[in-house]
Structure formats: C-alpha cells, structure tokens
Amino acid sequence: MSAMLALKEWLKTIEIKKKWYNFSRSPLSLIGLAISLSTIIMAVFAPWIAPYPQHAGFFTDFAHAKQPPSWQHWFGTDEFGRDVLSRTIFGFRYSLMMAAVVLSLVVPTGVILGLIAGYYRERWIGKVIMRIADIFIAVPPLVLALSVCSLLTPSAFHAMMAVSLMWWPWYTRLLYNITSSVKEEYFVYAAKVTGASSFHIMFKEIFPNAMGAVLTKVTLDVGWVILLGASLSFVGLGAQPPTPDLGTMVADGAKFLPDYWWISMFPALAISYVILGFNLLGDGIKDAFEG
Amino acid sequence: MSKEVLLEIKNLHVGYKTHMGVSHVLNGVNLTVHKGERVGVIGESGSGKTTTMKSILRILPSNAIIKKGEIFYKGKNVLEMKEDELLNLRRKKISMIFQDPTSALNPLFKVGQIMLDIIKYSYKLEDEEAKEMALKALKEAALPDPERVFDSYPFQLSGGMRQRVCIALALIGDRELIIADEPTTNLDVTIKAQVLNLLTSLVREKNVGWIFVSQALGAVRENVDRVYVMYAGNIIEWGPSRKVFSNPLHPYTQKLLECVPKLTGKEFSKGIRGRIPNYFKPPSGCRFHPRCDYVLDECKKSVPEAVEVEHEHFVACNLYRR
Amino acid sequence: MEDEYILKIQNLKKYFETPYGTVKAVDNISLKVRKGTTMGLVGESGSGKSTTGHVVVGLFPPTSGKILFKDRDISMPLEKRPKDLKRDIQMVFQDPASSLNPKKIVRDIVGLPLKVHKMVETREELEEKVAKLLEMVELPPEDFMYRRPADLGGGEKQAVSIARAIATNPSFVIFDEPTSALDVSIQAKIINSILNIQREFKLSSLFITHDLSLMRNISSEVTIMYLGKVCEIAPTDVFFQKPLHPYTQMLLSSVPVLTEEEEKLKPKGITSQGEIGSPINPPSGCRFHPRCPYAKDICRKKEPKLVEVEPGHFVACHLYSER
Amino acid sequence: AVQSTQKPQPQKKRLLRIGFAWPTYIDPAVGSDYSSSTAFTNLYDPLIFPGDKGVPKPWVAESWEVSPDGMTWTLHIRKGIKFHSGDELKAEDVAFTIHRLLTIGKGYAYLFTPYIQNVTATDDYTVKVTLKRPYGPFIATLMRVYVLDKNVVMQHIKKPGPYGDYGDYATNWLLTHDAGSGPYQVKEVVLEDHVYMTRFKDYWGPMVPNAADEIQMLALAQPATEKTLLTNKQLEISSQWLPEETIEALAKESYLKVSKFPGGDEFYIMMHTRKPPLDDIHVRKAIAYAIDYKTIVNQIFPGNPIATGPVPSYLPGAAHNLPTYHRDLAKAKEELEKSKYWPDIKEHPEKYTIDYHWIAEVPAEEKVAILVAQDLQEIGLKVNVVKVPWLRVVEEMANITTSPHMVSVFVAAHYPEAGSLLESRYDSKSADTWEQNEWLLNKTLDHMIEDALSTVNTTERFKKYAQIELAIMKLCPSIFLFDHMIKVVHQDYVKLPADEGHYTGVMGYDFDGRAIEVLSTT
Amino acid sequence: MRAIWKYIWKRVLYVIPTLVGLSILIFILSRVLPGDPALMAAGPNAPKWVVEQIRHQLRLDKPLWEQYYYWLVDLFHGDLGYSTYTKRSVTADVIEYLPASLQLIFMAALFEIGGALALGIIAGRYAYRLPDNIVRVIAYIGISVPSFVWGLLFQLVFASLIPLFPTHGMYSYGTVPPPRVTGFSLIDALIAGQFDTFVDILWHMVLPAFALSLGAMAQDARIIRAGMVENTEKEHVSLVRAYGIPERVIFSKYILKPSLVPAVTVMGMDIASLLGNAFMVELIFQWPGFSRYGINVMLNKDINGIVAVVLVIGILFAIANIIVDVVVAYLDPRIGRRSQ
Ligand SMILES: Nc1ncnc2c1ncn2[C@@H]1O[C@H](COP(=O)(O)OP(=O)(O)OP(=O)(O)O)[C@@H](O)[C@H]1O
Ligand SMILES: Nc1ncnc2c1ncn2[C@@H]1O[C@H](COP(=O)(O)OP(=O)(O)OP(=O)(O)O)[C@@H](O)[C@H]1O
Ligand SMILES: [Mg+2]
Ligand SMILES: [Mg+2]
C-alpha cells in the first residue's frame, strides 16, 4: 500500500511537472511570471522597497517639486515634491488590491451562477441567469462601470463595486459555455445514472474541467481589472488622491505634459508593466492547462 | 516479377518533433507498388500508415522530419523533387483519398469551389470546361444529382456523400496511382460496403495502381492483390493477399487475424497483450517483442531481416531466420 | 412466479424537440430482455439505439410508453427514480474519450458509484474495492489506480468505464457500442472481459452495436432497429440462419469477412443501397421502403406491424405479414 | 443652410480666442458661471456696469431714484440702444427680462427673488421696481440683469413648455442664439465646444480702438493643449485655471505675457463649527495658527495676497486692519491644549480625524489640502483628505450632518460689495448652501447683517460691514487663505485693461470685448 | 440567403429584451443611487422652488415605475428626456455628438482591421520565425498599454517632439467647419466641397483613432495568427496541397478564410473596447464626440444623459455584434443554415 501511495505522489508531481513543463516552454511565460511576481512583491513590501515611503502619504516638499529623474529620484518628483518611484511602487499595491477584491467577489459569484445556468440551461433558472448576465454584457464594461461610478461618489471602494458589478457575467458566460458542453459528456451521464447529486455533478465533475479556463481568465483579468480601475481613475471616478493610484497619477500628471513628462509617464509605464506581466502569465497558464 | 515498378519506398524513417521530444514513428518502411497493382496496407491505429502515405506526396505535417530513406516514383526520388516536378506529381500522377472526409474538406468552401480550383491548377482549363470535368467525376463517384452536390457545402452532405466527393476528386484526370487511406473508417456498415464497392470497381475498371490502407481486414482481403502488414512503423510481413490471410507468418499478423470476430460466432482470442509502443522510446530490436509470445533473445537486439518464406511472401521475424 | 424477463420495453417513444423539427429518435418500439441473457441491439447510425439505452437508464424520460424493470415501472425522470434502481441499472457509453472525467484519477472515477451508494466507508475500503474491480477488467490496480484518463489508451479507458459500471454490482448493464472506437486487438480484450463479467455476475444486458460479427459472439438474442423502429427480433442462431427482413439481409451482406465459411452466411442477391433517412421527416409507410429492393405499393402507405413469424422470431415487413 | 461650394477665403481679422472651462450657457436666465457670464457681458448690456474695482457705473440704466422708504426704485433707461435685431431697447424689454429671469429662477435669479416684488415699465424709458424690503446694495446687483430683446425672445418661444403661456420661454433657442444689444453677437455655438461671436456694427457704447472683430470662447480642458495653442499663436488668452507650472513655463516666452487681476473671490477653508472637535473654538484657532500660509501663497498659489479678513481687501466695504492669524506652532499647540477635547485627542487622535474635502475641479487645491494635512499632523491632529467633485460638494454642504469638517472653496461676491460675501458666507439663511460650511447659525450676526443690508446709505452700510467682519474674525469659523488673483497667459499683441491696473473684480467682466485691444490680425 | 435574414432577424429580436433590461437597470441605478439630480441640475445658487420645478420636470417626484413608464413612452416618440447638463433635449445631444464619435470609431475600426490583418497574416505566414516574433512583441505591447497611455504618449511625442499630427480637436484653428448636413463632418465637408477641410479632419483623426485601435488591433492580430497556425495543420489543407494547389493560393485562400472566422468574432468584442476606450481617448484628444459628452454628463450626474449614453452605446454595441455575426455567417456557411 505504501508503494502505491508513493506512486500516487509521484504521479501527482508528474502532473505538476507536466504543467510546469508546458508553462515554462515559452520564455514569455517565464517573463510574465517574473513580472507578475515582481509587482506582487513590490505591492506587498512597498514600505520597505520604496526609497521614500512617507511620500505615499501626506507629504509636500515644494522646494523639490518637479525634479527630473536623477540618482536621488529615479523617476523624478511630482508637483508636490514627492518621489514618483516610491508612489509608483505603492501604486502597485492599490492596483493589485483592486484586482484582488474585484476578482474575489466576482469569480465565485460568476462561477456559481454560470454552473447553475449551464447545468439547468433548459430550465427557467438557467435562462433567467443568462438573460440577466446578457444585460450586463450588453455594454462595454468600461461604459457601465463609468456610469455606475459617476452615480456614486468617486472612491476606490465604489470603483471596485462598480467593476465587480460589471464583471461577474463574464465568468458566468465562461462557465455557462463550459458547463453546457461538458454536461453532455458521457462521464456526466454516467454520474447521473449512478445517482450522484446535481451538486456533486456541478462542482466535482464539471467544475474541475473549467478550472484551467477559470485560472487563465483570472490571471488575464488581473490585468484587465487593473486597466479598468486605472481608466476609471484616469477619468476621475476611481481612487482619489493622495492615494498613490497609478491611474490617478497618470491623469494628474497629464496636466504637466510635455514638460514634466516623468510625472505621468512612469506610472503609465507601470500600468502597462503589470498588464503585460499578467497577460504573459495568463497565456502561460493557458499553455500549461491546454498543452 | 517483370511488372513495371510504379512506386518504391525504401527504408523510410520519419519522426515527429513534438514538445515531448522527437517521436521515431516510421522505422525503415519498404513498400513497392507495380503498375496497375492493388496493394493493401493493414495495421493497428497509430502504426504509421497515414504517415507513410503522406510521405509519398510530401504532405506531412510541418513538424514531421524525414530522417532517412527514399521514395521513388517511376525511378525518380520524390523527396528530392523540385517544386514544379512535385506539383506535377500531385496534379497528374498520384491522388489521395483521406481518412476522414469531414476534416479533409474545407468547411467554408463549396464542393464545387474546391474542385474547380484543383482542376484549374492541374489542367489550366476555363471555368466551363473545368466544371464539366468536375461534374463528370462526381457522376463517376455515383453521386446522385451531381449538380446539387457541386453547389453544396460539405456540411450539407452526409458522411457517405462526402467520402464519395473525395473519391471523385481522386478520379479527376487519369491518375496512375490512387492512395486510399482508410476511406471507410468513419462510415456506417451499409455505406462502407457501398463506398468500397464503388471504389474497387472503379479501380478495377481504370486499372490504376492502388494503395488501400485499412484496418478492416476483411475488406482488404477481398480487394487487393498484395498486402503489407504494418506494426509500429515497420512493415513486418507482406505478400499476396490470399497467402497472407490464409497463412499468416508473423506472430503479430496471426494474433491480429484471430482478434477479428467472425460471423460464424466461433470463440475469438483474448486479444494481444500490451499496447502499441511509445514512439519516443521505441523498444529496441523488433518493435513487437514486448508483446510477442515467442520472443527470442535476439529479438531485443536487432531489427530482424525480411525473409521470403514462400513465393513472394515475406516476413520480418527472427522465428523464420534460416 | 418470477417473470423470466428482466426488462420489458412497451411501445416506447422518444421524441426530441429541435429547432428544425421533432426528431423521432425512437418511435414506438417494444422489446424484452430475458434474465441472465444478452440482447443485441443492432442498426445503422441514427437508428435510435443509444436513445433507447439512454431512456432505459433514465437520462431522458420517455415521450410515451412504458419501461418495466423487474416488473417495476421505471419510466419516470431520473430524479424520481428510487436509488436502488440506479444501482441496479448501469450503462457503458459509446465514446471512451468522453466517458471518463479527464480531471479525475481512476480511483475516484471507479469509486464514485461506491461512494454515492454508500457501499464503502473508509478510503482504504474504497481503494480495496476499486482494486478488485480493476483486476476484474484486467487492469493491474497498482499501475492504474492513480492515473488520469489522459494517460490511458482507448481500450484501457473503456475497461475503466466497465469497471465503473459494475462497481455497484448491478443486475442489468447497457453496453453502448463499447468497442466501436477501438482497434480489433483491443476490442477482443474488452469483449473478453465483458463476457467474463457477464458470466461471473449473471448479468443481463443490452448490447448495442452495429457490428454483426461481434453480435454473433456475444448475444443470445438480436433486435434490429431502423430509423427508430424495430425491424426484426430473433434468437441469434435463428437470426443468422434465416434473416428475414430485407434490411437485415442488407446489413449482413455488407459485412466484410475473412474466411470462406463466413462468406456462406452472407445473403446473396441483395446489395447495400441508399442511405438512412431523416428522423425528422421519416419516409411514409415502412421506413425502409426507399432502400428496399422488394418495396411494393403497400410499403409506401402502410406501416408494417411486428409479427411473430416463428416462435421468438419477430419481423416487421409486409413480405411476411401478408400470410 | 448650404454654403457656396467656393473655398472660403479667410480674410484677416482681429481674433480674440480665449480658453474657458465648460459648460457655457449663453442664456442669461440659465448660466451664472465664469464662462457664461463672460458671454453675457459681450452679447448683452447689463443695466449697471461695474466700473473700476467694481464701483457701479450707469449703463442701460442711465440714472435712478429710490423712494425714501427704500422700497421703490425708478430706473431711467438710456435712449438709442439698439438690439442686434435692429429694434431699440425699451423699458418694456427690461421689465420682460426681469420677469423672465424670475420666472425661470435659474442663473442669477437668486440675487433678485428674495427682494423684488414687482417690475413695471411705466413708459418707454422708465422702469419701476418695487421691493419686498429695503435693500442697500440693490444697484450693484443690477450688473446681473442682462437685457433681452422681448420681441425676438417671444418669436422663438416653443410651446408647450414649463412656463405656461410663455412655453419654454425660448430657453432652447437662447442656448445657441442671442437676443441682446451687446458689442458682439452670436455667430455659432457648439455646446461643449465653442461660442463664436462677431462684432455688432451698430453697437451704441464705447469701444477701444482695436477691439476684436471676432471673439471665440473655446472649451479647453488640458494645459498641454493650451500650451501648444499659445505657442502656435492659435489662442490669444489662456483659461484661468492653468497650473502654476505651465504658467511658469510659458512666461519664459517673449511673446507671451502673464496678467494678474483679482477674481472677486477669496479662498477659504470652511470649518464646520457644529461638528466635534471643530465646535470648540480652541481647536479652530489651533488650526488657524498651524497652517503655513506663506508656503501656500509662495509655492502653491504664487502671487495671491494673504487674506486680511472675511472679504477680499479691495472689495467695496472691506474692513482694514483686522486681527489675523499666522503660522505659529507654539500658539497652535497652546490653543489645542486649551480645548476640552485635548486629553482625548492626545490619546486617540484617530477618533477625531478631520475630514478635509477639496474640489476635484480645482487640482491645485490638492496641494493646499495635503499641506494642511501635513501641518495639522504636526500639532497632533489627524486629517483625512478627500477629493470631491464640485456638484457633490454642493450636495453635501446642503445638510448639517453631511457637511464635512473642513472644505476648501473659492467664494466670490455676487455683486461687488462686502455685504454680499458676508451674507452668503455667514448668514443663517445661507448655512445650507455651498457658500457656507460653517453652520454658524448665529442670531446676533444674522441681525447685524440684515441691518447692514437694509441700510440704503452707502457709508453707513460700510461701517456696519466692518463691525460684522471683526465679529467673524473673533469667532474664527474659517481659515482665510488668500484673495484670489486670476492669472492668465496671453499674447503680447493683446492688451488687457488689467495690464494697466484696471479691474472690476466682478466675475465675467474680465474679458470684456469693449475694453480689450487686439493689435494683430490673423 | 433567406436563412441569413431570418438569422439576423432572430438576433435582433434577441437583443431587444436585453436592451430593455439594460435601460431598466441603468434607469433604476440612476434614480436610486444617492445624490439628488434635481439639486445638481439647478445649480449651486438656485432657490428651492427651482429645484422642485426641475424635480418635476425630471419626474423625480413620481414613483419609480411611473418614471420609467413615461420615459419609455417618450422614448417611443424619440425623446430621451431633458439634459440637465446641456439644458436641452438629450435627443438633440445624441444627434449632435454621436456622428463625430462614430466617425472616429469607424476610422479606428479601419485601423484595427487593416493593422490586424497585416500583422496577423505576416505572423501566420512566417510562424515561429523572426517576423512572427516581432509581431508577437508588438501584439503584447499593444495589448498591455492602455489606450489612454497611448493617447498621452502620442500627445507627448507629436505635440512637442515631432509635430506631424494635430493632438486635439477635430479642426485646425481657422478651419471653417462645413455646414452641418449629416453631422458626420467628413461627409459634410465633402458635400460642401471643402476638400481641405476633409483632409484636415482626417489629419486630426489619425492620432486618436490610432490610439483607440492599437489594443484591439494587437488582440485581433494574435487571433488571426493563431488561426493561421492552427489551420496550416488541418487535414483540408493537406488535401488541397495533395492535389497540387500552389502554396500561395493555399495560404491566401484555404488557410486565411477559416482563420478569419474566430478573428471576426473577437472583433465584435473588440468593438466593445473601442466604444469604451473612446471615453478616454476623446477626453485626451478633446474630440467633440459622444464619449466626451458621456464623461461630462457622468461628471455632472445628468441622469437622462447617462441613461441615454449607456443605451445608445448598448445599441451601437448590439449593432456591431450583429454585423459581426452576419460577417461570420457570410464567412462560415454553417452558421444559421443548419436546416435545409
Ligand atoms: N503531426 C503529428 N505530430 C506528432 N505526432 C504525430 C503527428 N501525426 C501523427 N503522429 C503520431 O504518429 C504515429 C503514427 O500516426 P499515423 O497517423 O501515421 O498512424 P495510422 O496508422 O494512420 O493510424 P490511424 O489508423 O489511427 O489513422 C501516431 O502515434 C501519431 O500519434
Ligand atoms: N438529445 C438529443 N436531441 C436531439 N436529437 C437527438 C438527441 N439525441 C439523439 N438525437 C437524434 O436521435 C436520432 C437517434 O440517435 P441515437 O444516438 O439514438 O442513434 P444511434 O443509433 O445510437 O446512432 P450511433 O450508431 O451513431 O450511435 C439521431 O438522429 C440523433 O440525431
Ligand atoms: Mg491514419
Ligand atoms: Mg449511439
């Protein structure tokens, strides 16, 4: 029996190894992993990594405002005299937090609704769920998120709520599509014939088959949610200053283009950096699950 | 035999590059087709039949690597042919019927569009003439209402009709060799019989060379002059059809024939143990040795040479050496 | 007195509503399966074989008609079916590739029915039972227990499906073309284990196939279906000696054979022609008439009834009903 | 209208292109913001024109009398003023204009609804206005009555509308057309984008020699754009909200000039005197002593004079030599320690976190906010800085509970007199408006203000104002940061009266086409 | 062909309830979320009775269902209500601003499709080789850099460093806008025969349209490339190759067409990103279009304006998707023609 257990463990590592092999085959995936990890590390350890952590809070030093990039301030300073690099590092914090909050709300909701809708697609419950989801998808997410945010007081919290409100249907749709096709697979029939409960079939038989797709989408969505959050902030409906939010920093700094380009361009690059990282990572995860 | 040799495959080694490494699929395939001869190739799924056939026309997938070997068509090596020679070969000399008619026909084009393209590039004809030619071929393939078929998308046709369309394609012009790669696998029993009857009668009528690849041993037995048995990228036995089927020599061939259920309902075998080898690390020596009941020591070491056991009946097995 | 039939299907209809019309997949068929025997169900693709099987195991409720299992009416939807019936009736599906959940290991796949029916308590017990089942289908448990379907060959997958189907010790199993996607050498192996299991468990079964040669080796009775209708029912021996329905004859004549002996069994003078019609607009009268070389006027107008021409040999054809 | 297919040959014109923030509503009964008011000034004639430093100057109303009880004002209308339609401006038009304004109720109507009882044209050139109660600054408010051409308006009324017989009162039409007599008339209005006005040939009033042939008010939102336009000579005058950084950069160009003139407003930080801990005067004083006024006027809003009291120092009626606050951390701490909250604040500063709201539309306010937060941190007060859009601020300030602890706002006098600001900033009536966040609700002060405003005699009125101002300083309800100076960058070929030290301090009269010279043609 | 029309009709019918649902959703949100639109509309100094008047005008004093009912009734008369921001009918605003946005989005879509085809085909043709890798890098950059960052970058580069293209507005200063006939300034310029103006407008559209299209372009290029690579290995390609059709034709016909089907589907989604990103791009480039109007009504809490903006974009999106579906149906005969 112990030999068997050892074998089991071995097969498990094989499984992971295979995924890792598929993943690491493309150097782009590894770059993506590195970028994503670097942003996460910067976000988590911002107070230790940022050269001037106090610049993320209430700080002004007008005497040193708008200094171009230099050795003291790699990314220069902004109109308050704050270190742009430090604020950008803190910016990752807010961006990733936004992604984390939104996705942790949206993924379970969307997934469960999608499973139910797909599993009961012929019944009214499935139809109603999909009809409602359709309504939220009938408009580009940014437009609806903008209008909902505009109806609320602009704040990071409201932005997260608005984005979450827009986002769940994408998971519902994904799960709906997967569930509707997987539920016609013979292994689901077999489980039904045996008498397994609908709950078991949805969560133990069907859901594992959607795991890869969900994981891929979640990773890619980290980038998109950050983008959407940044877009909201850019218009002025997202996180509010002095929060070092990347979108807000870009928008605020845009006033000083082109003379003090570093105030907006470095945070803008930072946004692109995160999105790039999670995009590459997402594609890698997709390869890992599909390859 | 003094018959003119049409096609000769010599010691063909083909592999595939995949993310798991290189698979060594064909392991020295030798195959000869004479003019007007009907040759069968049998073997389990994955034994490399399609790979061999595609090599002949050089239409292997892009990840395939031809490692060694020659394919002579009327004495010219196909693998060294120039672009225009190759196109000429494909356009005028050899045609192929694919395994799965559904995936072989581009779903976004009407049957007629595909046929016209093929005819136009092969024969430089005007639309009118080309269409006439296409309709003639469709009629020959026993398709009722060829005009309608010509104007249909593949999905609008049944599986049997699709395969007939593929046969019609293969019949355009006067070919010297028709390769039929499991032309009936995905069809219903009754349709299978129909398609096979059609194909055999056409081949007979036109007296062209024919390679008939199939897993349906019965169908092969009934319709070919000579048969090649393929196992894991090797031709392990070949000879006149009657001889091979009535007196199989190789342990694999013997087992394979036993496995086929009989209409007479006699007890049939327990199958062949094990499965077809992994091509990334194929067994040394005779690739069948891990599954063979009569395995000898030398089987593990070297690939057995072919021996002519009876007239024109060859087998590559150590049991028959000396 | 106990009935000698384990399964009785009476006037079963199963229609599917689709955007293009009503598919009459199974249209008023009746058949009985004797205890401890295997009934073969043969027909071309689209003739309604799988649908019949699916209705019996409860995947779809019948449109009309009755299914009696051990004299209990089981023509209710699956949710309403008592649990013991779900344990007693099992099915092996057509396509090995989709029969196993690719995300689970063999132990959990085979163990699922055991868990659902609470036949095991601990994990050790589960593994033990699964190991036994795997042995029964000739898969060495130590090698296969923790594998995933992706690492299995087609035959091995089907063997796992069979192990799962017999896990709950059912008395009736439907085999839906369990080997049609497999190579002959593997088919032989699978059929062998099925035969062994049938013998060992005294299993009654419905064996769906389109391969008449295979049928000959397995079943004691044969039912031939065409476009949702039954054409002919007969004990296997009788059937091969005296195929009555023209469709049956056409099927038999289409079988490619390896030996002269077999050749003799094939009916002469009939060749395959035409294709199966659409189940949405089936041909009038006898559904086979467009392909039948003996078709007469009456065949176009009137649907033939299934009549018993000899004891146990039923046929639905105007050629025989005139008598 | 289909134009000729000929290529338009642009002839040389004196163009005056000015940047503004949008929206601009050119109907005087609708708009009341900076850009709208600028449009009114150029398209219409007001009854009274603000002279230097906002002193009322006869305009359409040539002269006036007031009844001894201060309840009835008689206005004599100037003869010979021609509307753009060609008709003469008559008393009837004036009465109609005021009626229309009061009926619609938007725009500057709020100045008149509380006082005006009735308006009648007694003859072609006389208008009689009856008030509800005596009102000292009445004449000054008439700078906001822009006279409309009754006939033209009546012609463009669409029915049905919300105003009964008057249908929509031509509000739709007047959004993109004018019915005025001003020196310019509407050529084209594209909402959200621009207002083009061309010179009205028959204008009756005085114009400077090189007045613009065409004024273009442009919606400009981005400093970068304005910068490009200014350097390309495609914009004569920048908008007034250019960031200091941009102004600095532009000031370096030889062909550009920076002009500075009072905007008539003061920048306040309003403190909620009913919300703990700001309900304690010591806390308020501590704050007043903690703030670094100098950095604000030197670094953030350079060039703005530190405020000397509750009203801008140049406003008619402003008091002088009031006691003021300045940065003194020791004093600030001392005051804070005197407060009843001190022991608790010391222990749990987060319990007394002060919400500081600043207005999203004015980005420079953020710097003040963060500086204040930094300053207050030094004396041990916690601040939560929140950026809030203008309309939201208006909404939250309407209610005593939703009003924030502190909010920084620019407030301008409605008419050029100290009384205007005193009333709108500190009277109980205005407590629920955006102009007061203090929620003083102080009866004594209310009486003093009412008394002052109903005093018709100007000198006496101004004395009363001074007493009120002193009282307010003692209460320390607000932080008086600075008297706001408007800064614009303009081409050197444009001559603004402000360059010669002339200004009105009345919103909308800064860019008066009558007085701006354009010395170059394009 | 009839089948296709039936299919389109079905799609349209399906979209209608969704749009109604959308209107209800946004209508309710705009009325129940905190904030008093009447107060905001009245302006900071308005007396109470004016606020009440506006409240009445906006029907905010009625129960919610009644508000919606009358809103619907008005909608059927082509009236989207009164805009508290522009102080006129929202319908007039839509008519005024929408064409400019459509024009811009149309141009962006042209860039998107053209660029995606070019990049995708090159990458697919030279799969796994240098051009493919270059395109891949371009695609990743295109996807990762938000459109508003492109916008700002272009502003930075073109406003000061290389002033090749104008960075704001629709016309150069001094250009006389053509008289409004269709509302589409490009068309109007042509009608008026102002060819210079036409070129001027085009010139102004280049940067915003490009900034807008880059992300979608990259996305589509990737899909096309993936489709090409996938289809190259298809059996039907082997078939035409086996019959001697030249590689050039195989590539441009038998591989390209099937690769376009998924790409076109994705383009439908990408139009969503165009419609969404137009909000930021119009803001940055001060394009006098509907999206900039959208931002303004949103920032001013003009509820009728917001509802209209969402609804109009919903309709545009639906139309775009239907067009995409039709194109897909045209490319892929299997769609919408299953029944015979
Ligand atoms: N493009 C490819 N890349 C990698 N491996 C391939 C490729 N094509 C075929 N193979 C592998 O090569 C082996 C031989 O395949 P081939 O298709 O030639 O067999 P076959 O005899 O035709 O089988 P079947 O009867 O199933 O058609 C198989 O193991 C298959 O998995
Ligand atoms: N869920 C369903 N919805 C609609 N039509 C169906 C459904 N299931 C089966 N059918 C149709 O019913 C008919 C009979 O199908 P069935 O699967 O029973 O045939 P079969 O005899 O098992 O064929 P095969 O040999 O291909 O498995 C077919 O035309 C099929 O398209
Ligand atoms: Mg093959
Ligand atoms: Mg079936």
Side-chain angles (χ1 to χ4, degrees), chain B residues 49-50 99 181-182:
Chain B
K49 306 182 295 292
T50 302
Q99 189 159 353
D181 185 3
E182 307 196 34

Side-chain angles (χ1 to χ4, degrees), chain D residues 144-290:
Chain D
R144 296 305 187 193
V145 177
Y146 301 94
V147 186
L148 281 90
D149 188 336
K150 180 179 178 184
N151 285 335
V152 173
V153 173
M154 291 304 287
Q155 273 162 29
H156 292 97
I157 276 174
K158 256 210 317 240
K159 285 184 194 177
Y163 308 110
D165 278 352
Y166 289 102
D168 70 342
Y169 240 138
T171 44
N172 279 304
W173 189 77
L174 280 171
L175 272 184
T176 47
H177 302 83
D178 75 81
S181 59
Y184 292 87
Q185 59 191 114
V186 168
K187 179 178 166 196
E188 185 181 58
V189 175
V190 172
L191 287 166
E192 290 283 283
D193 201 68
H194 61 250
V195 177
Y196 290 172
M197 311 185 247
T198 49
R199 183 82 177 266
F200 173 48
K201 303 261 161 30
D202 296 337
Y203 186 59
W204 62 273
M207 299 284 280
V208 289
N210 293 308
D213 295 313
E214 184 165 333
I215 298 181
Q216 300 186 352
M217 297 173 62
L218 306 170
L220 293 176
Q222 280 180 0
T225 315
E226 288 195 53
K227 202 178 155 188
T228 322
L229 292 176
L230 281 166
T231 45
N232 292 348
K233 299 207 165 79
Q234 285 168 337
L235 184 69
E236 272 69 39
I237 306 177
S238 75
S239 70
Q240 54 160 329
W241 293 116
L242 276 186
E244 209 48 57
E245 291 79 4
T246 314
I247 297 179
E248 268 167 38
L250 288 169
K252 291 185 195 123
E253 305 290 348
S254 60
Y255 52 88
L256 293 176
K257 266 189 176 165
V258 180
S259 282
K260 213 170 78 170
F261 47 87
D265 49 348
E266 181 167 331
F267 189 42
Y268 304 91
I269 300 175
M270 305 176 177
M271 293 187 277
H272 196 317
T273 62
R274 306 266 153 179
K275 242 186 193 167
L278 298 183
D279 54 348
D280 186 335
I281 189 164
H282 297 296
V283 179
R284 298 204 294 270
K285 281 190 174 164
I287 292 172
Y289 281 119

Side-chain angles (χ1 to χ4, degrees), chain B residues 70-237:
Chain B
E70 288 117 15
I71 300 172
F72 293 105
Y73 184 76
K74 288 188 165 170
K76 265 207 95 138
N77 190 345
V78 176
L79 300 180
E80 284 164 5
M81 277 185 181
K82 299 246 174 47
E83 178 78 22
D84 51 341
E85 267 179 304
L86 186 64
L87 284 181
N88 190 47
L89 181 81
R90 290 173 181 171
R91 287 171 182 175
K92 300 270 172 66
K93 310 288 186 208
I94 307 179
S95 64
M96 179 156 170
I97 299 164
F98 286 73
Q99 189 159 353
D100 176 9
T102 309
S103 59
L105 293 173
N106 194 323
L108 307 189
F109 293 90
K110 286 182 179 167
V111 166
Q113 288 173 294
I114 302 173
M115 294 188 86
L116 282 188
D117 253 7
I118 289 173
I119 293 170
K120 274 200 289 195
Y121 284 104
S122 301
Y123 297 99
K124 314 263 176 297
L125 292 179
E126 293 299 305
D127 270 9
E128 286 297 299
E129 290 169 277
K131 184 170 176 185
E132 221 162 89
M133 197 162 179
L135 290 176
K136 197 180 125 230
L138 288 173
K139 209 175 285 160
E140 236 177 333
L143 277 159
D145 202 355
E147 287 273 1
R148 187 181 74 86
V149 174
F150 185 85
D151 210 30
S152 299
Y153 287 99
F155 76 90
Q156 292 168 319
L157 304 174
S158 71
M161 286 162 94
R162 259 175 258 168
Q163 193 56 293
R164 278 176 224 251
V165 168
C166 289
I167 292 173
L169 281 178
L171 292 174
I172 294 171
D174 291 314
R175 308 280 180 166
E176 291 166 324
L177 178 63
I178 294 175
I179 302 169
D181 185 3
E182 307 196 34
T184 58
T185 318
N186 293 313
L187 304 178
D188 245 317
V189 244
T190 51
I191 311 299
K192 225 178 226 175
Q194 289 173 22
V195 168
L196 211 59
N197 286 343
L198 170 76
L199 200 51
T200 49
S201 60
L202 282 170
V203 166
R204 233 170 267 221
E205 211 173 276
K206 303 199 162 201
N207 197 26
V208 296
W210 190 39
I211 304 180
F212 178 34
V213 180
S214 184
Q215 292 193 47
L217 307 189
V220 174
R221 185 189 75 106
E222 287 169 15
N223 294 303
V224 301
D225 305 325
R226 257 166 6 99
V227 65
Y228 287 79
V229 183
M230 199 161 180
Y231 177 77
N234 286 322
I235 300 288
I236 48 133
E237 180 170 356

Side-chain angles (χ1 to χ4, degrees), chain A residues 186, chain C residues 45-46 48-51 54 94 176-177 208:
Chain A
Y186 285 127
Chain C
S45 196
K49 309 180 297 290
S50 300
T51 306
H54 292 164
Q94 195 162 357
D176 187 359
E177 311 198 26
I208 300 173

Side-chain angles (χ1 to χ4, degrees), chain B residues 16-18 23 25 43-52 61 63 99 181-182 215 279:
Chain B
Y16 290 103
K17 219 169 26 195
T18 73
S23 64
V25 177
E44 272 176 277
S45 186
S47 54
K49 306 182 295 292
T50 302
T51 307
T52 313
N63 63 334
Q99 189 159 353
D181 185 3
E182 307 196 34
Q215 292 193 47
Y279 286 116

Side-chain angles (χ1 to χ4, degrees), chain E residues 114-124 131 135 138-139 217-218 221-222 224-225:
Chain E
L117 278 176
L119 291 177
I121 289 174
I122 289 172
V135 169
I138 294 176
M217 189 194 292
R222 263 164 48 121
I224 293 176
R225 184 245 173 223

